[in-house]
Amino acid sequence: SYALGWTVREDRGGKRVEHSGGVRGVATNYIRHLDEDWVLALAMSYATKAGPHALAERLVGALREAR
């Protein structure tokens, strides 16, 4: 579901909230997993082929593997 720019959804392991955006060449993605007690905040120089959301999801996968 959607809440003032925030996406709230169920993920494996529980509920997570996320928000993405960008301005003048910078892309951001913020993901907080409420039930697994972690946060990922990503800010990167933006290029259309860079895929900031896909990179954030890959980092989430790495974080879960490391736990």
Side-chain angles (χ1 to χ4, degrees), residues 4-48:
L4 296 175
W6 291 88
T7 302
V8 181
R9 67 184 179 105
E10 290 292 322
D11 190 359
R12 68 180 172 116
K15 188 174 287 191
R16 86 186 214 182
V17 294
E18 53 190 84
H19 189 281
S20 61
V23 64
R24 295 186 196 144
V26 177
T28 62
N29 202 301
Y30 177 92
I31 301 171
R32 179 177 178 203
H33 204 292
L34 301 175
D35 298 317
E36 291 185 359
D37 196 31
W38 56 260
V39 172
L40 172 75
L42 172 68
M44 61 186 275
S45 297
Y46 184 76
T48 54

Side-chain angles (χ1 to χ4, degrees), residues 52-66:
H53 182 73
L55 177 58
E57 290 298 331
R58 287 177 48 205
L59 290 170
V60 165
L63 173 69
R64 283 188 167 138
E65 286 180 19

